[in-house]
Amino acid sequence: MSERDATKRVEKPERAAGGGGRKPLWTAASASSTPARRGTPSPKATDLMRAVVERENMWKALRRVERNKGAAGADGMVVSELRGYLKEQWPRIREELVEGRYRPQPVLRMEIPKAGGGVRRLGIPTVVDRLIQQAILQVLSPIFDSTFSASSYGFRPGRSAHDAVRAARGHVAEGRRWVVDLDLEKFFDRVNHDVLMSRVARRVDDKVLLRTIRGYLTSGVMDHGVEEATATGTPQGGPLSPLLSNILLDELDKELERRGHRFCRYADDCNVYVRSKASGERVKQSLTRFLERKLRLKVNEQKSAVDRPWSRKFLGYTMTWHQVPRLKVALESVKRMKEKVRQLFRAGRGRNVGRFIREELSPLLRGWAQYFRLSEVKGLFEELDGWLRRKLRCILWRQWKRGRTRQKRLTKAGLGPERARQSAWNGRGAWWNAGASHMNEAYPKRFFDSLGLVSLLEEVRRLPVTARTAVYGTVRTVV
């Protein structure tokens, strides 16, 4: 019987045998009765890899990859083609994984602009490699996550950036009113493979799985059709990269805990809270030496600083200088949001305003308000609401183009004939008119509400602000 026929006869894991479910992707080759071959690692060495390729784990990984969608990798295969490919090729891929012969394909180089200037280099794995990485992540995450620090919040189940921001505010409220803001220079590009793999091997004794993980680190990069080798770094863009970064930086967390510091770390963004500037300078210097010597990582001196928490930003937030500080949106986050909105408006100038608001603008505003709902300083949201309505009035004014059309529109909106005429022919620019009293009266807030425009102020007030509690082992607190 062929491998394809065997594939058709195995039931999907969620269904009992003979239940008439959909055709499975995983074949009977996943059974433990697979005959051993010469050179095959011992059963002890392949325990974790067999857990990775186990049917239930792979189905869970497949559903996650399909839900996340994402761009195609270097081979051009899209997520929608993955199931059909696996029906034909999974027996071969599984055998190569278990025997340690699987070789990942190079990641596709992509560059996206960073908020502070420059570009962030991403490495997009093929959808097959994303599936395998997700399956590895599901097996390794429970092994490592329980050992991570309680002050680590990035890419961990049950934890979020909001938890990190709340914790940071708590440290400042306790009297630690200086912050050591550490920025790791090109962290994901500079990770030393040997240092990282030695940390993974401390809790993983499966040589096949270790070889596969290293294969992903050294798989290379496809940049404009040219394949380049990768001697350092872990490519951003794959499911496994965040866990590997946490495994490496967990040593930094343990060192900070050993010294009794209060800190918050989200991926490579780490803030340490101290009581004086002199203490902060000492901590910064010692941590810089630790990172360079122990983990082979470099601190970006230009972006790192010892400063007041209300003069720095952390995960898009900053805080007030009060004894019990209040969270607020950082100025850089506001500038970034305005730039995104400007880009949308440039693309939407010739479109129907109502459709543009519903399909483009409101989803962006809703997501932004969702993230910054912890802000306790609400005046900014009201200012942004006014700025957005003025931008929309500016679009309307430009779309009308001619004085006669503007006069007609203003009259139809309720202005008196004489005032509509004077306003339409005033000779001023679009931005001035968008903020003038005649446009505000003709197109007030309720007009844009009727078109579906999200009010940031109302959205933030509507969203619940609940503090989740996540317990991860025992935390040793030292004052």
Side-chain angles (χ1 to χ4, degrees):
M1 181 173 58
S2 68
E3 290 177 335
R4 184 171 184 179
D5 292 334
T7 301
K8 294 180 179 180
R9 294 185 58 180
V10 180
E11 297 298 330
K12 185 178 175 181
E14 286 84 346
R15 297 291 188 95
R22 290 181 297 174
K23 293 179 181 179
L25 302 184
W26 326 119
T27 73
S30 63
S32 59
S33 60
T34 303
R37 299 190 178 189
R38 181 175 298 178
T40 301
S42 63
K44 180 180 178 181
T46 60
D47 286 346
L48 281 180
M49 182 54 82
R50 289 188 182 279
V52 169
V53 301
E54 190 270 330
R55 290 187 303 170
E56 195 69 38
N57 187 58
M58 294 304 302
W59 273 110
K60 181 179 177 182
L62 176 62
R63 289 192 291 267
R64 185 60 180 265
V65 170
E66 289 178 332
R67 185 163 62 248
N68 291 344
K69 298 180 181 179
D75 63 353
M77 184 188 300
V78 296
V79 174
S80 60
E81 299 171 344
L82 180 57
R83 288 199 178 216
Y85 179 82
L86 292 173
K87 287 178 181 178
E88 299 288 341
Q89 300 296 329
W90 174 246
R92 173 188 59 80
I93 295 172
R94 185 203 173 279
E95 183 176 318
E96 291 179 357
L97 286 169
V98 171
E99 295 183 359
R101 296 185 291 107
Y102 182 79
R103 295 294 178 265
Q105 297 187 53
V107 298
L108 180 64
R109 171 74 74 211
M110 292 186 66
E111 295 182 348
I112 59 174
K114 296 174 67 173
V119 295
R120 176 174 285 108
R121 303 171 72 186
L122 301 181
I124 309 301
T126 65
V127 290
V128 174
D129 284 327
R130 289 210 295 271
L131 172 73
I132 297 170
Q133 286 193 36
Q134 180 64 36
I136 294 173
L137 173 67
Q138 292 165 182
V139 171
L140 293 187
S141 185
I143 295 174
F144 284 96
D145 193 80
S146 60
T147 68
F148 288 156
S149 168
S151 297
S152 169
Y153 296 91
F155 309 109
R156 295 183 60 190
R159 297 198 153 206
S160 68
H162 287 170
D163 298 322
V165 170
R166 291 189 187 99
R169 177 182 57 183
H171 295 325
V172 177
E174 290 175 354
R176 295 170 176 82
R177 298 174 69 81
W178 289 89
V179 61
V180 182
D181 188 352
L182 292 176
D183 183 89
L184 299 180
E185 186 175 301
K186 298 181 179 179
F187 168 72
F188 287 94
D189 294 333
R190 294 182 180 271
V191 170
N192 184 282
H193 292 169
D194 292 334
V195 174
L196 172 58
M197 290 307 302
S198 69
R199 272 57 179 179
V200 177
R202 289 175 181 177
R203 298 189 64 83
V204 174
D205 61 356
D206 187 326
K207 300 300 187 293
V208 173
L209 182 55
L210 290 173
R211 192 180 306 127
T212 303
I213 294 173
R214 182 178 279 275
Y216 278 114
L217 296 176
T218 60
S219 61
V221 174
M222 189 67 71
D223 191 2
H224 295 94
V226 179
E227 185 174 345
E228 301 175 5
T230 50
T232 60
T234 170
Q236 287 180 273
L240 199 54
S241 181
L243 176 63
L244 295 179
S245 68
N246 275 336
I247 292 173
L248 181 63
L249 291 176
D250 184 59
E251 192 152 342
L252 170 63
D253 299 342
K254 296 299 190 291
E255 178 67 14
L256 289 169
E257 289 179 346
R258 187 185 66 79
R259 299 182 186 186
H261 289 305
R262 301 292 193 275
F263 68 98
C264 295
R265 184 178 66 79
Y266 192 95
D268 59 332
D269 197 348
C270 184
N271 281 4
V272 185
Y273 296 88
V274 295
R275 296 184 184 274
S276 69
K277 184 176 182 179
S279 176
E281 294 291 353
R282 289 195 300 271
V283 169
K284 180 175 178 290
Q285 293 176 9
S286 63
L287 289 180
T288 299
R289 289 194 299 269
F290 174 83
L291 287 164
E292 290 178 352
R293 295 175 183 176
K294 195 78 172 178
L295 301 181
R296 313 264 185 98
L297 297 173
K298 186 177 180 180
V299 173
N300 189 329
E301 294 291 343
Q302 294 182 341
K303 295 184 178 180
S304 301
V306 177
D307 207 342
R308 296 291 194 179
W310 45 88
S311 298
R312 307 293 293 182
K313 68 178 179 69
F314 181 52
L315 301 177
Y317 281 87
T318 186
M319 57 186 77
T320 65
W321 51 266
H322 300 88
Q323 186 173 1
V324 180
R326 293 184 296 166
L327 293 174
K328 65 178 185 179
V329 183
L331 180 60
E332 292 88 342
S333 301
V334 177
K335 291 180 179 178
R336 195 178 311 148
M337 190 275 280
K338 282 189 171 184
E339 182 56 34
K340 287 183 180 179
V341 169
R342 289 190 183 99
Q343 292 174 5
L344 284 182
F345 275 100
R346 280 194 288 269
R349 285 177 181 174
R351 296 180 54 187
N352 176 275
V353 172
R355 189 178 302 114
F356 167 72
I357 289 173
R358 291 189 300 271
E359 297 177 359
E360 302 289 341
L361 185 57
S362 283
L364 171 66
L365 300 178
R366 196 172 286 111
W368 198 82
Q370 173 75 22
Y371 182 76
F372 287 105
R373 69 181 185 272
L374 297 187
S375 176
E376 298 162 284
V377 180
K378 308 295 187 185
L380 170 68
F381 299 109
E382 189 173 7
E383 293 176 9
L384 286 173
D385 282 338
W387 178 78
L388 287 164
R389 289 193 292 271
R390 185 171 180 177
K391 293 286 289 183
L392 289 167
R393 294 186 189 104
C394 188
I395 282 185
L396 291 173
W397 189 265
R398 285 197 173 107
Q399 286 182 346
W400 296 337
K401 295 183 179 179
R402 299 179 180 179
R404 282 180 296 179
T405 304
R406 291 167 179 166
Q407 180 178 346
K408 179 180 178 181
R409 294 285 187 175
L410 291 173
T411 303
K412 186 177 180 180
L415 265 61
E418 182 60 23
R419 189 182 179 195
R421 185 188 65 79
Q422 292 179 356
S423 300
W425 298 93
N426 60 32
R428 301 273 190 168
W431 183 248
W432 184 92
N433 278 281
S437 59
H438 54 270
M439 284 295 286
N440 278 268
E441 184 177 334
Y443 296 92
K445 178 180 180 300
R446 62 176 179 272
F447 169 78
F448 295 106
D449 290 343
S450 68
L451 296 180
L453 179 65
V454 169
S455 166
L456 292 173
L457 180 61
E458 294 174 3
E459 188 74 7
V460 168
R461 285 175 173 171
R462 181 186 66 82
L463 290 169
V465 181
T466 56
R468 294 180 302 172
T469 302
V471 180
Y472 288 81
T474 302
V475 181
R476 181 167 59 92
T477 304
V478 181
V479 179

